[in-house]
Amino acid sequence: MAAEIVNPRNDSGTEGAPEEPFDPVFALHRGGKMAIQATVPVRNKDDLSLAYTPGVAKVCTAIAEQPDLVNDYTWKSQVVAVVTDGTAVLGLGDIGPEASLPVMEGKAILFKQFGGVDAVPIALATTDTDEIVETVVRLAPSFGGVNLEDISAPRCFEIERKLQERLDIPVFHDDQHGTAIVTLAALRNAAKLTGRTLGELRAVISGAGAAGVAIAKFLLEAGLGDVAVADRKGIVSRDRDDLNPVKRELADLTNKAGLSGSLGDALVGADVFIGVSGGTVPEAAVASMAPNAFVFAMANPNPEVHPDVAHKYAAVVATGRSDYPNQINNVLAFPGIFAGALQVRASRITEGMKIAAANAIADVVGDQLAADCVIPSPFDERVAPAVAAAVAAAARAEGVARR
């Protein structure tokens, strides 16, 4: 059924017509949520001659002779392209490029508010992998980084990989890596709170899409003991003959315990549940987890395990919702990551930079660490600067920084 469109004000012009109910969401979005703003004045002919012709020709000529000067004399080194094809938008799915724009605008204003990074939403009218790659490559001279957003799996993996191979600026698919980074930060603090290390934990991930695959790989990279991933057909394992190439690789990397069967089978004795798929996990399956378990049920708006149920059995509970403690929110990661990467003009975002970001987010909690505080609030103003500094330092250490 189509969503009901509510006019936020009665402007039909029909005398005596009943007023439409006021909807603050539509009121806020009218005209869009962002705009381009000049950073220099153009008040008179002298300003005009400096900002545009003839003065601008000097800068153009200098950049033509020394291309790296584009980072000093244009906005390139301070702006990110937020690119989507509208095929995997929030919990809405494939709604197309136009309908994705409100989300991309939202992403752009979060870049600015939380990281001080300018961002431009770009919704593409194609779902073809190679067309998306070619389009972004041709747009890249205008940007210091590319944030891929809401592109469905498994195409998102190939698109990111091909762009990373062809571009010398950071390319980051936030649905994958942002989620993985914040999850690792919360998991580190949860383990610390309960006196364990990552290496002692066995995790189960519900969902083998972009986020689930990235979280599994990243947690193993960070030292997690073991992780099993379940999709709609059960545990992703080597004995399955229905896996696409991405899941086949995942089967080779994960599930050291050799588990097979359903998500419920994997949860028996597990230390960690991570939900990035939707659906509902039966209470009996949660009850079968190990003592002092962690439940990170991140589906929105309905977590895979309701917090009231999770708290019966788990030592730490996190969700993707803002109305419960321990919100796993990507805004804790991507603004600071890009701010740090742009600061040093990094050529890419490495695994070391991602781990540095996760550690920085976890460290912000500090002495406030508690079962209901294993991750900072998205509005904690310490987060983005801490992440940016950690990412910049890691980029220098790994040799991808250019200043």
Side-chain angles (χ1 to χ4, degrees):
M1 183 175 70
E4 179 184 2
I5 303 301
V6 180
N7 188 3
R9 64 175 187 267
N10 179 29
D11 54 6
S12 64
T14 304
E15 186 175 353
E19 286 196 10
E20 299 279 2
F22 177 80
D23 188 323
V25 173
F26 280 92
L28 182 142
H29 282 78
R30 184 176 290 277
K33 299 191 292 285
M34 57 182 294
I36 300 295
Q37 180 175 327
T39 60
V40 297
V42 182
R43 300 160 299 193
N44 51 48
K45 67 177 183 179
D46 291 333
D47 290 345
L48 182 61
S49 68
L50 290 172
Y52 198 51
T53 186
V56 74
K58 290 184 179 180
V59 180
C60 295
T61 302
I63 294 171
E65 294 173 353
Q66 299 181 57
D68 283 349
L69 291 178
V70 69
N71 294 296
D72 296 312
Y73 294 107
T74 72
W75 78 342
K76 177 181 172 69
S77 65
Q78 304 168 66
V79 68
V80 171
V82 181
V83 178
T84 190
D85 63 359
T87 55
V89 180
L90 294 175
L92 303 175
D94 185 355
I95 59 175
E98 289 87 357
S100 76
L101 267 177
V103 178
M104 299 311 114
E105 287 184 2
K107 196 82 174 189
I109 65 176
L110 295 180
F111 264 110
K112 187 65 172 179
Q113 177 168 336
F114 291 99
V117 173
D118 289 307
V120 177
I122 298 175
L124 301 179
T126 178
T127 60
D128 181 85
T129 294
D130 289 333
E131 287 184 358
I132 291 172
V133 170
E134 292 299 327
T135 302
V136 175
V137 167
R138 283 161 174 72
L139 289 171
S142 296
F143 299 98
V146 175
N147 185 92
L148 299 173
E149 190 75 20
D150 293 349
I151 298 173
S152 63
R155 295 175 309 117
C156 59
F157 303 113
E158 184 178 2
I159 290 168
E160 183 186 48
R161 177 181 57 79
K162 287 184 174 181
L163 287 172
Q164 288 173 338
E165 290 171 353
R166 295 184 59 179
L167 298 177
D168 65 347
I169 57 175
V171 177
F172 184 84
H173 184 209
D174 187 52
D175 300 318
Q176 293 182 61
H177 310 302
T179 307
I181 287 164
V182 182
T183 300
L184 175 59
L187 190 57
R188 277 199 185 283
N189 276 341
K192 181 180 178 181
L193 181 68
T194 55
R196 288 177 283 180
T197 66
L198 290 180
E200 298 175 74
L201 302 176
R202 178 173 72 85
V204 176
I205 298 174
S206 175
V213 171
I215 291 170
K217 291 181 176 180
F218 192 56
L219 293 183
L220 290 173
E221 179 80 17
L224 189 75
D226 193 14
V227 58
V229 182
D231 63 10
R232 291 184 180 88
K233 297 182 179 180
I235 299 169
V236 175
S237 56
R238 293 178 180 178
D239 61 352
R240 284 178 51 180
D241 59 6
D242 60 345
L243 303 179
N244 63 33
V246 171
K247 292 182 182 180
R248 197 172 301 121
E249 179 191 9
L250 193 64
D252 290 335
L253 294 173
T254 62
N255 194 19
K256 297 174 188 175
L259 302 173
S260 59
S262 67
L263 172 68
D265 294 326
L267 282 174
V268 176
D271 303 291
V272 185
F273 169 75
I274 297 170
V276 284
S277 65
T280 301
V281 177
E283 182 171 345
V286 181
S288 74
M289 296 178 68
N292 290 319
F294 312 143
V295 172
F296 293 1
M298 297 187 282
N300 264 318
N302 300 312
E304 294 88 349
V305 182
H306 192 280
D308 291 345
V309 173
H311 278 297
K312 294 180 183 180
Y313 310 101
V316 176
V317 177
T319 72
R321 290 176 51 150
S322 60
D323 53 347
Y324 290 103
N326 295 327
Q327 184 189 17
I328 307 295
N329 192 324
N330 289 18
V331 78
L332 290 164
F334 68 82
I337 288 170
F338 271 98
L342 294 177
Q343 176 187 328
V344 297
R345 294 180 189 166
S347 58
R348 60 183 294 114
I349 294 173
T350 65
E351 291 302 301
M353 292 161 73
K354 296 172 195 172
I355 288 175
N359 291 341
I361 294 167
D363 288 345
V364 167
V365 172
D367 295 339
Q368 296 173 299
L369 181 62
D372 62 353
C373 185
V374 296
I375 199 77
S377 162
F379 295 98
D380 190 322
E381 295 180 354
R382 299 171 296 170
V383 174
V387 172
V391 166
R396 293 189 178 103
E398 298 203 340
V400 297
R402 288 177 285 199
R403 75 169 185 181

